[in-house]
Amino acid sequence: MKFQARTQLWTLGASGAALVLAAGLSSLNAAAQTPAHTPAGKVETAAAPAAAVTAKTVVAHYATLVHANYEDTLLAALELQKSVRAFIAAPSQARLEAARKAWLDAREVYGQTEAFRFYGGPIDDEEGPEGRINAWPMDESYVDGVDGKPGSGLINDRKFKITKASLSEANEKDGEENIATGWHAIEFMLWGQDLDDNGPGQRAHTDFVDGKTPNADRRRLYLNVVTDLLIDDLRFLVQAWTPAKAGAKKNYRVTFEQGGSESVRKIIVGLGSLSRGELSGERMEVALNTQDQEDEHSCFSDNTHRDIVANATGIQNVWLGSYKRRPGAKGPQTLEGPSLRALVAAKDKALADRVTAQIAQSVADAERIPAPFDRAILDGSPGQPLIKKTIASLVEQSKLLVESASAIGITQLTLVEP
């Protein structure tokens, strides 16, 4: 059983879990004191400094984190692009491994941005590129030959012209599993099908060498174009969240920063939706229920366990108002500022502490999930209880996020259980 990759705000989870988030809002303008930042896993107990926290300051700092995380993702993806180009220029096993490592490194950064979704922002509004960037699960045979169908896919159809425009049009055409672009299309090109129970796909570099495998030239072209398209989409997101300059055309960030309490609602929508519907639901419960490798998020590289950690970390970043930048980024390596935690703590410190501890627990639990995920989901696997524990923690934190919204005046925030 497959599920729509771009989960809508009101459609969450493997069994129809829904998040109904109506905006019965109060002003949220009362000032709060900023609690001192504490390391992940620690409950904040220190005395608060004097800086005031309001909806406006929380929203502004959130926008700063979003921009930094997308900018880091773009920089990491440019490193991937560099490795891909080196590989296709002279395919070798060593260069293929380098491109794989660059993909894994970039995924660590991108995974944290998933906390910025699910509220109709620039990534997943009606015109947003999310479906081109991270859609899954993927029917591999739509792109290239697979076991039992060596001549299948767009690559082996020489009548199909491989361009950014044609791949964008082909993505999810005639079926949501017909994925032609994004992280997972690149992943499939680099690793191939995962036919190994104990490891990732083992695509040979010779698949890209003329005379070794049919249509190797088109395989090189496909990998190059699909990587370039990912770069374009990530640049769009960076631009949407770039700080406004005097006289510049308004972007999404300008509107968001002017949104006040409505933007705070959107932030919580993103965290709650990822916690319950997407991460614990579609990305974990579905795979547990079907025990099918095809329902694993990053199934070709066996990187799903790290995807889960990155997603959980993204939620923690937003809640704490803290983000650790990718090495080499310009400016401060850690960004900290007015947070949701501080806003909630001003109304109910005990609740804010509970949320902080629960989110830290989810991250810790996620880090214990073993690889490969497609073996850990199986009945009798020592990894299955760890997956279930992570799901339970994420479900609990989603409930606490609902309580937090209520504490700061956002009412009618109801998580409907499956």
Side-chain angles (χ1 to χ4, degrees):
M1 184 176 184
K2 304 297 182 184
F3 289 82
Q4 176 56 270
R6 288 170 290 177
T7 307
Q8 297 300 308
L9 184 61
W10 49 86
T11 305
L12 300 173
S15 305
L19 191 63
V20 181
L21 294 160
L25 305 177
S26 64
S27 66
L28 294 185
N29 286 327
Q33 297 300 309
T34 306
H37 175 68
T38 52
K42 301 288 186 180
V43 177
E44 170 261 318
T45 57
V53 174
T54 65
K56 182 177 180 179
T57 61
V58 169
V59 168
H61 183 61
Y62 171 86
T64 298
L65 296 189
V66 174
H67 178 255
N69 201 164
Y70 277 136
E71 189 174 63
D72 283 356
T73 303
L74 174 59
L75 292 172
L78 287 169
E79 291 295 322
L80 169 62
Q81 183 186 53
K82 181 179 178 181
S83 294
V84 163
R85 287 183 174 167
F87 169 63
I88 63 177
S92 69
Q93 192 61 34
R95 291 187 175 191
L96 178 57
E97 293 296 337
R100 289 172 175 172
K101 183 180 185 304
W103 186 93
L104 292 170
D105 290 345
R107 282 293 288 183
E108 286 288 314
V109 188
Y110 178 78
Q112 296 172 62
T113 72
E114 292 283 85
F116 313 143
R117 289 189 53 208
F118 308 109
Y119 53 77
I123 186 170
D124 53 3
D125 64 13
E126 290 185 0
E127 302 298 323
E130 197 282 329
R132 270 200 312 271
I133 292 176
N134 198 39
W136 69 288
M138 177 183 180
D139 178 1
E140 311 96 294
S141 66
Y142 184 63
V143 169
D144 199 1
V146 295
D147 190 39
K149 296 181 180 179
S152 66
L154 300 173
I155 285 173
N156 294 301
D157 178 5
R158 298 198 72 91
K159 294 180 181 179
F160 178 80
K161 189 175 181 180
I162 301 173
T163 66
K164 290 180 184 178
S166 65
L167 292 185
S168 293
E169 183 180 357
N171 192 55
E172 297 186 309
K173 184 177 181 181
D174 300 325
E176 64 187 46
E177 296 170 28
N178 290 345
I179 295 163
T181 67
W183 292 109
H184 300 296
I186 298 170
E187 178 193 14
F188 171 57
M189 295 303 297
L190 294 176
W191 275 272
Q193 281 183 288
D194 181 6
L195 303 176
D196 184 348
D197 285 346
N198 299 308
Q202 297 295 327
R203 185 190 286 276
H205 78 276
T206 51
D207 280 2
F208 298 84
V209 178
D210 292 333
K212 298 291 185 179
T213 309
N215 296 314
D217 58 329
R218 286 176 59 81
R219 205 164 283 112
R220 294 194 303 272
L221 177 60
Y222 197 105
L223 177 56
N224 189 54
V225 172
V226 77
T227 304
D228 289 352
L229 183 57
L230 176 65
I231 297 296
D232 290 349
D233 286 333
L234 292 174
R235 278 206 174 100
F236 164 80
L237 294 173
V238 171
Q239 290 166 359
W241 287 95
T242 296
K245 295 181 180 179
K249 183 180 178 181
K250 285 187 177 182
N251 60 2
Y252 181 84
R253 178 173 179 163
V254 171
T255 303
F256 188 86
E257 288 187 338
Q258 294 171 348
S261 57
E262 169 60 12
S263 292
V264 173
R265 182 188 73 85
K266 290 179 178 179
I267 294 170
I268 298 176
V269 166
L271 302 189
S273 298
L274 179 57
S275 295
R276 181 63 192 102
E278 188 71 16
L279 183 53
S280 66
E282 290 204 19
R283 301 185 184 187
M284 299 175 72
E285 286 178 336
V286 171
L288 270 181
N289 291 338
T290 65
Q291 302 207 345
D292 186 347
Q293 180 191 60
E294 293 300 311
D295 289 321
E296 180 186 10
H297 198 185
S298 294
C299 64
F300 312 117
S301 61
D302 274 347
N303 193 56
T304 301
H305 64 300
R306 291 305 310 170
D307 288 337
I308 293 168
V309 172
N311 292 171
T313 300
I315 295 168
Q316 186 176 54
N317 293 343
V318 174
W319 174 255
L320 297 177
S322 177
Y323 170 63
K324 185 176 181 180
R325 298 212 61 173
R326 180 175 179 267
K330 295 180 181 178
Q333 289 301 294
T334 300
L335 302 178
E336 295 186 84
S339 65
L340 272 180
R341 177 181 66 172
L343 204 59
V344 174
K347 297 294 185 180
D348 188 336
K349 185 177 181 300
L351 174 60
D353 287 348
R354 286 168 59 205
V355 179
T356 302
Q358 191 65 54
I359 290 176
Q361 185 65 56
S362 295
V363 174
D365 289 341
E367 288 175 337
R368 296 186 185 100
I369 296 173
F373 183 82
D374 56 8
R375 305 305 295 174
I377 59 177
L378 300 180
D379 290 341
S381 165
Q384 194 185 76
L386 300 174
I387 295 173
K388 290 180 177 179
K389 189 172 187 293
T390 306
I391 291 171
S393 185
L394 289 164
V395 170
E396 180 60 26
Q397 85 181 32
S398 69
K399 296 176 182 177
L400 291 174
L401 286 166
V402 171
E403 289 186 38
S404 297
S406 179
I408 58 176
I410 300 176
T411 59
Q412 299 180 13
L413 192 74
T414 305
L415 184 67
V416 179
E417 294 292 339

